[in-house]
Amino acid sequence: MRVLGIETSCDETGVAIYDGDRGLIAHAIYSQIEIHAQYGGVVPELASRDHVRKALPLIHQVLEESETAPSSIDGVAYTAGPGLIGALLVGSALGRSLAWAWGRPAIGVHHMEGHLLAPLIETPAPEFPFVALLVSGGHTQLVDVAGIGEYRVLGESLDDAAGEAFDKTAKILGLPYPGGPELAKLAEHGDPARFRFPRPMTDRPGLEFSFSGLKTFALNCLRTELPKAEDPEQTRADIARAFEEAVVDTLVIKCRRALKTAGRRRLVLAGGVSANRRLRERMNAAIAAEGGETYYPRPNFCTDNGAMIAYAGWHRLQAGQHEPLNFRPKARWPMEGLSCVQSANPLI
């Protein structure tokens, strides 16, 4: 089965083709960073309009690059949620229209399921069961994964997601959009011993997260230290390093705790923040020290992309699932409500 995947949940337009026999055979991503940079964040209406402009040309591109005729597409997968509703409507309408025109089944894919399954595209791929840390600008979740569609949320952020905290702290430090990667670059030049930020919610039982306080701590530190700093740029780098260390330590502590709670030894990390170099280094060392294994998608598949949607959609279409023409995208969509592909019946 060969599946076309379309991702339009936020500010990246992603398209890919996944083949059950050959694997991922084509993918393309268009980022809207330049459009939103002048506003310091994503403007939903502008994001929707740009998806309208870019999605169809990207589909033509991947079809041409993979030498795939529309008649060779066996199904269409599109992101149905969660995300910006206007952006989701663009991808959903396009995906449903192509499926109808080609006489093929279509499936609406959960955006976070796409992220969760992205590491399975890689070689070697993790085997079920495992614990997944989904860590991005909009989500920070620990999920016990027994199989595709068999998800149990162990803990999540009570306020800001880790990626959101990265972006907001970067803005406080005067860094350009998108802030998370810029803060990580600045942190490379920081002194890890100068400041120590709290590790929120690690001194109590449980697997919940809270990152909004770290943002406030960084703001207060900057206001206190910058006026008296002999080297303001170094002070900013030191604050960035302290912030990054606090987030990384918190994620490592919670992941180790989650593996013990669920009785697993494999950990999957996915989402934009999982590309952070410091996080990968610390997580790999901590999990390996306890006899565990860590898995990640390739860096360009950590952020939103069509490959993860094509792959997740392939599994569900292969299991006989599809959606009717009146299926509606969802801005909010809990993962635990997804069906298990092993026992799913075709949807009429």
Side-chain angles (χ1 to χ4, degrees):
M1 173 177 280
R2 184 169 291 191
V3 175
L4 173 71
I6 303 170
E7 155 62 24
T8 62
S9 66
C10 191
D11 62 336
E12 269 101 17
T13 311
V15 179
I17 297 175
Y18 183 84
D19 186 282
D21 296 321
R22 296 174 52 192
L24 184 65
I25 59 175
H27 67 92
I29 302 173
Y30 175 78
S31 175
Q32 302 176 4
I33 286 176
E34 291 186 6
I35 295 173
H36 302 289
Q38 59 184 309
Y39 303 101
V42 177
V43 180
E45 178 62 24
L46 296 181
S48 302
R49 292 179 183 179
D50 210 53
H51 287 311
V52 172
R53 286 190 288 264
K54 300 298 182 181
L56 198 54
L58 285 180
I59 291 172
H60 288 309
Q61 178 183 326
V62 298
L63 289 172
E64 183 177 348
E65 289 179 356
S66 63
E67 299 180 345
T68 299
S71 59
S72 298
I73 296 294
D74 299 303
V76 179
Y78 56 90
T79 304
L84 302 176
I85 191 61
L88 292 170
L89 282 167
V90 174
S92 298
L94 180 57
R96 288 299 316 164
S97 298
L98 290 175
W100 179 82
W102 295 342
R104 297 293 187 265
I107 188 73
V109 172
H110 193 290
H111 179 72
M112 297 312 294
E113 180 175 58
H115 275 303
L116 186 152
L117 297 180
L120 276 69
I121 303 175
E122 310 298 341
T123 303
E127 296 180 0
F128 299 111
F130 55 78
V131 168
L133 172 66
L134 305 178
V135 56
S136 66
H139 299 82
T140 301
Q141 290 182 321
L142 281 164
V143 184
D144 184 35
V145 182
I148 297 175
E150 297 180 82
Y151 309 133
R152 179 169 61 99
V153 176
L154 301 173
E156 56 191 332
S157 181
L158 302 177
D159 40 56
D160 290 354
E164 182 181 4
F166 261 100
D167 289 340
K168 289 180 177 178
T169 303
K171 193 169 185 178
I172 289 169
L173 293 170
L175 299 174
Y177 174 86
E182 295 296 327
L183 187 148
K185 291 178 185 177
L186 181 61
E188 292 178 1
H189 306 287
D191 179 359
R194 183 175 178 188
F195 302 116
R196 179 174 174 81
F197 284 17
R199 276 57 174 164
M201 299 187 71
T202 58
D203 58 349
R204 68 191 75 175
L207 296 169
E208 307 296 336
F209 299 93
S210 174
F211 293 106
S212 65
L214 282 178
K215 170 193 64 183
T216 305
F217 199 96
L219 176 61
N220 291 336
C221 185
L222 186 69
R223 288 174 172 172
T224 301
E225 299 295 332
L226 203 59
K228 60 184 181 183
E230 295 182 2
D231 186 344
E233 186 61 24
Q234 184 60 50
T235 295
R236 290 169 66 248
D238 295 342
I239 292 173
R241 181 62 180 270
F243 173 84
E244 183 182 53
E245 290 288 329
V247 173
V248 167
D249 276 356
T250 300
L251 294 174
V252 169
I253 291 168
K254 295 287 186 171
C255 284
R256 292 173 60 198
R257 191 178 295 176
L259 288 172
K260 292 178 181 177
T261 299
R264 312 297 190 198
R265 59 181 299 271
R266 287 180 287 270
L267 176 70
V268 163
L269 283 82
V273 179
S274 70
N276 181 279
R277 182 184 62 82
R278 185 65 176 159
L279 174 61
R280 291 193 177 205
E281 290 175 353
R282 293 287 302 282
M283 194 70 76
N284 289 346
I287 302 305
E290 297 182 354
E293 301 171 353
T294 50
Y295 297 86
Y296 309 84
R298 67 193 73 172
N300 61 328
F301 287 172
C302 290
T303 54
D304 298 347
N305 63 87
M308 68 184 193
I309 302 304
Y311 181 70
W314 178 86
H315 278 284
R316 292 194 170 274
L317 288 166
Q318 187 79 1
Q321 295 185 39
H322 63 274
E323 250 89 42
L325 282 173
N326 62 351
F327 184 79
R328 297 178 180 177
K330 306 172 185 177
R332 298 181 181 275
W333 189 6
M335 279 188 64
E336 290 178 303
L338 296 177
S339 60
C340 170
V341 297
Q342 288 90 339
S343 60
N345 294 317
L347 300 177
I348 305 302

